[in-house]
Amino acid sequence: MSKLIAPSILSGNFAHLSKDIEMLNKSNADSIHVDIMDGVFVPNISFGFPVLKAIKKLASKPLDVHLMIIQPERYISRFKEAGADTLIVHFEACRHLHNTIQAIKQEGMLAGVAINPHTPINNLEAIIKDIDQLLIMSVNPGFGGQKLIEHTYRKVELARDLIQRSHVKTIIGLDGGVNLTNAPQLIAAGADLLVSGSYIFRSDNPSKTISDFKAL
Ligand code: DX5
Ligand code: ZN
């Protein structure tokens, strides 16, 4: 079965978002990855609710909203209202992660948890069965266009092992520095979903690049 591909709109052209979203709507992408950064959890600021709402109006694919913000539990219902289908919070940003995951599900969204490169997979033992998507960061979050950290492959294998041992259906996503060269190895290690930003949007034919990912 082909893997899920979620292009990251962070690498889109913000002056012509509608053009990029139209391209994604017509492409073979499974969902659209939307990065929200607060300038505190990560050293960058992206955009907030008004832009997310505008994206939602145009998009015909589900939105995976990746929150790189502190205390994301403050905004769960507002992200639902703004159009998130899957809401992804950071393990490192949540004091009561179990609670936050339940609150996301109660709002009718799928719950995702992202982990930074320094966070070990075994920290998820107690929570994996509650998560719909585990997003393994393959770069330090904050910026598109970085290089994938090599240790990521091992983490994907460990996540796959944890998921199998736990008899759950959590999907494993990869975010940061993903391209057509490293994707086969990530898939072989156990990735189900690939997020890719700069590699897709900087390619000559983004729609074809998405199809090339799907063909792997
Ligand atoms: C990084 C973001 C990523 C980013 C990926 O902090 O979470 O989703 O947009 O972009 P690339 O594929 O360029 O690394
Ligand atoms: Zn992201």
Side-chain angles (χ1 to χ4, degrees):
M1 199 189 72
S2 77
K3 296 297 160 184
L4 302 168
I5 174 84
S8 172
I9 197 67
L10 186 68
S11 293
N13 180 345
F14 281 26
H16 296 282
L17 268 183
S18 58
K19 210 171 137 230
D20 284 340
I21 292 166
E22 212 171 290
M23 178 279 290
L24 294 175
N25 286 344
K26 289 188 191 140
S27 76
N28 286 324
D30 295 281
S31 56
I32 301 175
H33 184 90
V34 185
D35 290 306
I36 309 280
M37 304 177 183
D38 69 353
V40 180
F41 183 70
V42 288
N44 200 7
I45 297 175
S46 57
F47 51 80
F49 297 114
V51 175
L52 178 58
K53 282 182 184 163
I55 293 172
K56 184 66 179 180
K57 268 197 190 147
L58 298 165
S60 60
K61 313 241 173 184
L63 301 185
D64 300 337
V65 178
H66 176 194
L67 299 185
M68 285 159 274
I69 67 174
I70 59 163
Q71 300 171 352
E73 64 278 2
R74 293 172 296 165
Y75 297 112
I76 292 170
S77 59
R78 291 194 61 193
F79 277 108
K80 169 69 182 176
E81 267 169 47
D85 295 284
T86 297
L87 195 62
I88 303 164
V89 295
H90 261 266
F91 177 88
E92 301 83 6
C94 295
R95 203 178 292 243
H96 298 288
L97 182 59
H98 182 267
N99 244 339
T100 303
I101 290 169
Q102 302 313 319
I104 293 171
K105 290 180 173 173
Q106 269 162 24
E107 287 284 350
M109 295 178 284
L110 295 173
V113 173
I115 58 167
N116 278 338
H118 70 270
T119 300
I121 292 294
N122 60 19
N123 280 14
L124 298 160
E125 290 263 352
I127 202 83
I128 194 73
K129 69 172 180 20
D130 299 294
I131 305 176
D132 297 297
Q133 180 183 145
L134 170 60
L135 188 65
I136 298 176
M137 295 308 299
S138 30
V139 297
N140 285 294
F143 302 91
Q146 303 181 74
K147 193 175 172 296
L148 180 135
I149 296 169
E150 285 296 313
H151 181 63
T152 304
Y153 301 107
R154 181 71 190 131
K155 282 182 84 171
V156 179
E157 286 170 3
L158 292 171
R160 176 56 55 209
D161 181 57
L162 172 62
I163 286 165
Q164 264 159 12
R165 275 189 286 119
S166 312
H167 305 290
V168 292
K169 294 203 171 82
T170 312
I171 66 167
I172 300 176
L174 259 297
D175 188 9
V178 175
N179 57 41
L180 281 167
T181 307
N182 57 30
Q185 200 180 339
L186 293 168
I187 292 169
D192 302 300
L193 176 148
L194 302 172
V195 175
S196 178
S198 52
Y199 187 78
I200 288 175
F201 283 96
R202 283 184 204 158
S203 68
D204 291 340
N205 185 342
S207 179
K208 180 181 177 296
T209 305
I210 293 167
S211 296
D212 291 345
F213 272 108
K214 290 296 287 181
L216 288 173

